[in-house]
Amino acid sequence: KMYHRICIILSSCLYLCFGNSLYAERTILVTAATSGLGESICDTLAQSGDNLILAGRASEKLETLKAKLEKKYKGKYTILQFDYKDFPSIQKLSSKIKHPLDGLVLIPPRSTLPSKGMPSPQEWQEALNDCFIAPLEFVRGIASTFNPESSIVVISGITSIYYIPKYASTNVLKVMWAAEMKNLVTHLAPQKVRVNEISPDVILTQFHIQKIPSRNTESSRSYEEQLLFETQDIPLNRYR
């Protein structure tokens, strides 16, 4: 049920962002492709007949996702393995992309900032590099590969709109992406590249399902009680 709910939400949003492409056979690059959210996005786009470049760190997971998509759909799927921590390689990624891009779905890395207290300068520096500066450099590195009328979709989060105490420091990074949209729109306008941001509610992916019990170490709440506690700061009081 969770998977289908994610696909319905993303299908509508992605259609609005990519639906007007002039190219019948599109090539779209998806970062963090093997994450719970990334895999759902890949499945949604592949179902529409798009060719995909599956980008991420773990080559084995990327190969598994590629095989899964090839079994279900008829598109062409290639792998782009890279690590945001390897800054020099990010700047050379355009040479690895063999076909012009009609779209990019950018899922910035998940922040490791502590949920309580003020992060240290070192923690801030690492989070800014991994979750904002490096992904932004990734966009710069592949900008020359976009076709006219292409689209970039940045998957941000509800914390770019609402303040959620559990994600206090992460709020800052999400708002930075919301502000950066204006820069990207202006910078890429001469290439006729559209830029959009999607800010979904906190989605109950497998990552969150596995993390909920580990955050219940200081109480005797049941899983359901912990889930209710976790969602009290979300405007709709539930995960997507």
Side-chain angles (χ1 to χ4, degrees):
K1 291 182 179 179
M2 176 193 70
Y3 173 79
H4 290 298
R5 191 160 57 241
I6 292 172
C7 284
I8 291 170
I9 295 167
L10 292 174
S11 294
S12 301
C13 294
L14 293 172
Y15 176 78
L16 290 173
C17 297
F18 292 119
N20 294 325
S21 174
L22 296 177
Y23 302 94
E25 187 173 310
R26 301 178 302 188
T27 298
I28 297 176
L29 190 156
V30 182
T31 69
T34 60
S35 65
L37 187 57
E39 187 168 335
S40 296
I41 289 173
C42 290
D43 192 272
T44 300
L45 293 171
Q47 192 173 7
S48 300
D50 293 315
N51 300 321
L52 302 178
I53 299 177
L54 312 172
R57 287 185 304 173
S59 57
E60 288 186 8
K61 289 183 178 180
L62 291 169
E63 292 286 356
T64 299
L65 175 58
K66 179 175 181 285
K68 189 184 298 184
L69 293 173
E70 288 175 338
K71 189 175 181 179
K72 293 175 65 177
Y73 308 112
K74 296 181 180 180
K76 300 173 185 176
Y77 312 113
T78 57
I79 288 173
L80 180 65
Q81 195 272 332
F82 77 99
D83 189 338
Y84 281 124
K85 293 183 182 296
D86 187 359
F87 215 75
S89 69
I90 292 174
Q91 296 171 319
K92 300 175 182 177
L93 282 177
S94 61
S95 63
K96 297 183 179 181
I97 298 175
K98 305 303 180 184
H99 302 283
L101 293 177
D102 305 304
L104 164 67
V105 179
L106 180 69
I107 306 176
R110 186 179 287 110
S111 167
T112 57
L113 288 171
S115 58
K116 296 180 180 179
M118 296 180 66
S120 68
Q122 292 76 18
E123 288 171 327
W124 269 120
Q125 187 65 55
E126 182 177 356
L128 287 170
N129 281 336
D130 293 349
C131 304
F132 185 74
I133 296 173
L136 198 56
E137 187 62 22
F138 176 86
V139 175
R140 187 213 299 266
I142 66 171
S144 62
T145 67
F146 285 109
N147 275 320
E149 305 299 334
S150 297
S151 291
I152 295 176
V153 179
V154 178
I155 308 295
S156 183
I158 195 66
T159 50
S160 66
I161 303 171
Y162 298 105
Y163 179 80
I164 299 180
K166 289 188 190 67
Y167 305 99
S169 298
T170 303
N171 293 330
V172 177
L173 297 171
K174 300 299 185 182
V175 170
M176 287 175 67
W177 275 109
E180 179 59 27
M181 291 300 99
K182 300 179 180 66
N183 287 335
L184 288 175
V185 167
T186 302
H187 176 70
L188 295 170
Q191 290 180 239
K192 297 183 179 180
V193 175
R194 297 184 297 273
V195 182
N196 296 278
E197 180 186 29
I198 297 175
S199 296
D201 284 348
V202 183
I203 297 173
L204 191 59
T205 61
Q206 196 62 35
F207 173 85
H208 286 291
I209 291 172
Q210 293 171 350
K211 284 289 185 181
I212 286 173
S214 68
R215 291 196 286 262
N216 192 22
T217 56
E218 300 177 1
S219 71
S220 57
R221 300 187 191 100
S222 66
Y223 180 89
E224 290 73 19
E225 289 171 336
Q226 181 67 19
L227 182 61
L228 183 63
F229 176 78
E230 294 252 333
T231 58
Q232 63 186 0
D233 292 323
I234 299 174
L236 293 178
N237 297 120
R238 61 178 172 81
Y239 284 113
R240 283 287 187 178

